[in-house]
Amino acid sequence: MKELSEVLKDWEAVIGLEIHTELTTLDTKMFCGCKIGHDDEPNTNVCPVCLGLPGALPVPNERAIEYIVKAGLATNCEIQKHSMFYRKHYFYPDMAKNFQTTQGPVAFAMHGRLDLEVTGRGAAERPECAFGDAEAESLASASANAVGLSTAMSRDLPEGPASGAGAFARPDHAGATSTMSQNDPVPEEAAEGTTSALAGMSGYDTANLAVPVRHEDGSYTVPIRILRIHMEEDAAKMVHVGGEEGRIGGAAESLIDYNRCGTPLIELVTEPDLRTPEEARLFMEKLRRIFLTLGISDCSMEKGSMRCDGNVSLRRRGSSRLGTKTELKNLNSFKALHDGLAYEICRQAEVLEEGGQIFQETRHWDPSKKRTIVMRVKETADDYRLFPDPDLAPYDLTDEWIDSVRAKLPELPDQKAARFEDAFGLSAYDARHLVEHRETADFFEACMELAGDEAAKLAKPVANLVINDVTAYLNAQDGVKLADTALSPARAVALVKLVAADAISSKQGKEVFAAILEEDKDPEAIVAERGMEQVSDTGAIEAV
């Protein structure tokens, strides 16, 4: 196969992501009072509701809806005041009731956007021909011609003011009355919101579409639109015994743990705005940082509480007609997302250039063999037989309630990075890297508080220490948290001051940094014990 860089000169990759995130910081499941505890003894956190037994009625978890509204606000989405739950039918043992409760055409959060800063070698994946005014037409045609469940629902499942009638208030799991009204007559403004939400799925004005902008250093900023964030419930966990790498292929038997079944799960669906595997990787990294900051999930990709499906198709440069897409299912690491998409782009190009045909199918990325494998033919909206859930009333969110959720939002990573630039004079690069992890951002901020009047002077060397030395140490120590090491903010500031005052050299500073971690001593004590302090007084040197 050709290399990715060669393929992307002739072919445009059209990529969209579906990112699933379990709301693991909640105490109970989405529609029942069962505890969320995936690591507990299998099949112990279950009840008639999450097992789908006849006569069991679901009760929505209000805190879960608060969490999805937080996610929508943090990703610049429009919060939809009126929405409904639907039943999405499929027959697989990981969902005992044979349908998944999800949302219909209108989700709680729709039409958002995140901007990505693509730098370094990753920026080189997008060729020069993929910049300019023509990109607006590329984005518009990809969105307008996209084939998927979201567009099918908006076309075939109109969701409007006729969806609910009557009135009642439903309690949450704690017994408190919800501040959200269910099944009330839909206000006129809510009906208008429903119409605009659906219209936004098919209306694409190229004049108003933001396009990627290349900077002088080769980096670029690319806006990625978010189509929707909807609420659904997770499926059970299947354990395949005897298969390679625990997968179903070749397995002797499969075991099912329904503890995970019914866990609140939000799914974010992007527009098909991504054009390189690196952009896909960066988008997921940025989203993970936001969700961790919000505190709505542990976002553990290893444990499966955050996972991604990547949809990709190819078309010739300049063409407005979309190719047939394939979906890479359950990618559970940033590397898997990047490498899986890169391989699939090159595979599709090879098939098309040899006169072959791409089939709409779901594929699995095998990291050991570094290739994708066919899993099944992709389902369509008709296969799911979607219809409104008769056991769940439509939801109407009030402006007051939405504003109360907005007031709870913490400072988000981009906001923190901008503040670091303004307050401490850091470069955009340094600020962005500091906020990549919450513990390094908090550590840097604690250092600046201790620095006091010298904060502006010490900000750059402290940032360098955190970004380079601290990060390298933590990466080399599997599972070690910065708070558990011997390096405190006070010791970091003291070390930086010693180097800034020329008491020790930069090389000696690295030696002292290592000694702090190994010996749990203050930097001044280490310098004194080792006789490392430099003499910079000219008179003293001449006397010697």
Side-chain angles (χ1 to χ4, degrees):
M1 290 191 297
K2 293 180 179 178
E3 294 292 324
L4 179 66
S5 58
E6 188 177 358
V7 169
L8 291 181
K9 290 177 182 177
D10 301 320
W11 296 92
E12 180 182 41
V14 178
I15 301 169
L17 301 181
E18 301 167 17
I19 300 175
H20 310 261
T21 308
E22 290 179 353
L23 304 182
T24 55
T25 56
L26 291 171
D27 298 322
T28 57
K29 294 185 181 181
M30 184 62 216
F31 297 109
C32 65
C34 288
K35 171 190 171 185
I36 296 176
H38 305 340
D39 297 329
D40 293 348
E41 192 71 19
N43 298 311
T44 54
N45 301 323
V46 294
C47 73
V49 174
C50 50
L51 290 178
L53 298 184
L57 293 176
V59 178
N61 185 335
E62 183 178 343
R63 283 193 66 211
I65 296 173
E66 177 183 321
Y67 278 19
I68 193 174
V69 171
K70 278 186 176 181
L73 293 171
T75 52
N76 306 299
C77 288
E78 301 169 8
I79 305 304
Q80 305 303 314
K81 296 179 185 177
H82 182 77
S83 61
M84 297 170 59
F85 284 106
Y86 276 61
R87 290 184 178 183
K88 177 181 175 182
H89 293 80
Y90 69 96
F91 300 95
Y92 204 64
D94 63 7
M95 189 64 76
K97 58 188 181 182
N98 287 332
F99 66 85
Q100 179 188 44
T101 304
T102 182
Q103 289 196 275
V106 179
F108 282 116
M110 300 187 72
H111 310 310
R113 167 177 157 174
L114 288 179
D115 291 345
L116 304 180
E117 297 294 331
V118 190
T119 61
R121 289 182 298 176
E125 284 188 5
R126 182 184 275 254
E128 284 298 329
C129 60
F131 292 89
D133 296 338
E135 282 305 291
E137 179 60 38
S138 167
L139 294 169
S141 64
S143 295
N145 298 319
V147 176
L149 186 58
S150 297
T151 51
M153 286 193 299
S154 69
R155 181 186 66 243
D156 302 330
L157 300 173
E159 184 170 315
S163 303
F168 64 92
R170 190 177 295 225
D172 61 18
H173 297 316
T177 301
S178 172
T179 55
M180 300 171 289
S181 60
Q182 293 183 291
N183 238 17
D184 290 339
V186 180
E188 183 177 344
E189 60 269 22
E192 292 175 355
T194 300
T195 303
S196 64
L198 294 178
M201 298 179 74
S202 58
Y204 297 98
D205 180 5
T206 58
N208 294 322
L209 285 177
V211 297
V213 177
R214 177 84 83 177
H215 307 305
E216 290 183 1
D217 62 358
S219 65
Y220 63 91
T221 303
V222 57
I224 306 299
R225 292 171 297 159
I226 296 167
L227 175 59
R228 56 191 273 131
I229 309 177
H230 61 263
M231 176 69 75
E232 57 188 26
E233 57 183 338
D234 207 351
K237 178 182 179 181
M238 297 190 68
V239 180
H240 306 294
V241 181
E244 183 180 356
E245 295 184 357
R247 301 198 176 274
I248 194 169
E253 57 185 352
S254 296
L255 309 177
I256 306 175
D257 178 8
Y258 284 105
N259 280 351
R260 193 176 73 180
C261 185
T263 298
L265 181 80
I266 61 174
E267 179 178 344
L268 182 148
V269 182
T270 73
E271 291 277 8
D273 288 355
L274 300 138
R275 293 294 179 267
T276 71
E278 178 67 4
E279 291 174 7
R281 184 185 69 81
L282 289 175
F283 183 90
M284 192 164 183
E285 282 187 348
K286 183 165 188 173
L287 187 69
R288 183 175 183 271
R289 287 196 297 272
I290 290 172
F291 285 177
L292 284 172
T293 301
L294 293 176
I296 62 176
S297 175
D298 62 12
C299 297
S300 173
M301 301 183 72
E302 297 79 8
K303 294 181 179 179
S305 57
M306 189 176 200
R307 50 196 187 271
C308 179
D309 302 335
N311 297 277
V312 59
S313 66
L314 294 189
R315 61 182 176 182
R316 287 288 185 182
R317 290 280 174 195
S319 173
S320 61
R321 182 178 179 181
L322 285 180
T324 301
K325 71 174 181 179
T326 58
E327 180 182 29
L328 301 187
K329 199 72 176 173
N330 289 333
L331 299 163
N332 63 354
S333 73
F334 301 124
K335 181 174 174 55
L337 175 60
H338 179 279
D339 294 353
L341 287 172
Y343 175 89
E344 186 61 16
I345 290 169
C346 296
R347 184 194 71 85
Q348 289 189 22
E350 183 177 65
V351 171
L352 293 170
E353 289 176 357
E354 291 178 354
Q357 181 180 358
I358 301 298
F359 297 95
Q360 184 172 329
E361 57 195 9
T362 299
R363 300 179 71 90
H364 159 63
W365 167 246
D366 188 330
S368 60
K369 297 179 180 177
K370 299 189 182 302
R371 62 188 178 94
T372 60
I373 304 165
V374 177
M375 293 174 64
R376 62 180 183 271
V377 175
K378 179 63 178 170
E379 296 92 344
T380 65
D382 291 338
D383 296 319
Y384 289 126
R385 296 183 295 120
L386 285 146
F387 62 77
D389 193 316
D391 291 335
L392 288 165
Y395 260 80
D396 291 308
L397 308 182
T398 65
D399 288 327
E400 293 76 16
W401 187 83
I402 295 171
D403 288 341
S404 72
V405 175
R406 192 190 312 273
K408 297 177 184 178
L409 290 179
E411 184 181 43
L412 298 173
D414 279 358
Q415 296 170 334
K416 190 181 290 289
R419 180 167 61 81
F420 284 176
E421 289 181 54
D422 293 340
F424 307 117
L426 293 178
S427 67
Y429 175 90
D430 286 346
R432 188 169 63 249
H433 278 74
L434 282 172
V435 302
E436 281 184 353
H437 301 287
R438 185 165 49 186
E439 65 175 347
T440 55
D442 292 346
F443 186 87
F444 173 81
E445 195 142 29
C447 289
M448 292 298 95
E449 289 181 9
L450 290 172
D453 294 340
E454 297 182 274
K457 173 185 173 183
L458 298 178
K460 174 61 176 175
V462 170
N464 288 342
L465 178 73
V466 174
I467 293 170
N468 299 319
D469 301 280
V470 173
T471 301
Y473 175 80
L474 293 176
N475 288 340
Q477 309 296 317
D478 188 32
V480 173
K481 300 291 185 182
L482 180 54
D484 297 331
T485 70
L487 184 68
S488 64
R491 284 175 170 174
V493 171
L495 173 59
V496 166
K497 283 183 175 181
L498 287 171
V499 176
D502 289 329
I504 57 173
S505 66
S506 297
K507 183 178 180 180
Q508 289 174 317
K510 292 186 178 296
E511 182 182 339
V512 174
F513 172 77
I516 292 172
L517 295 168
E518 292 173 6
E519 302 175 18
D520 193 8
K521 294 179 179 179
D522 291 338
E524 297 90 344
I526 294 169
V527 169
E529 287 175 4
R530 302 190 182 192
M532 300 173 71
E533 189 165 3
Q534 298 180 144
V535 179
S536 54
D537 180 16
T538 306
I541 294 174
E542 289 175 349
V544 173

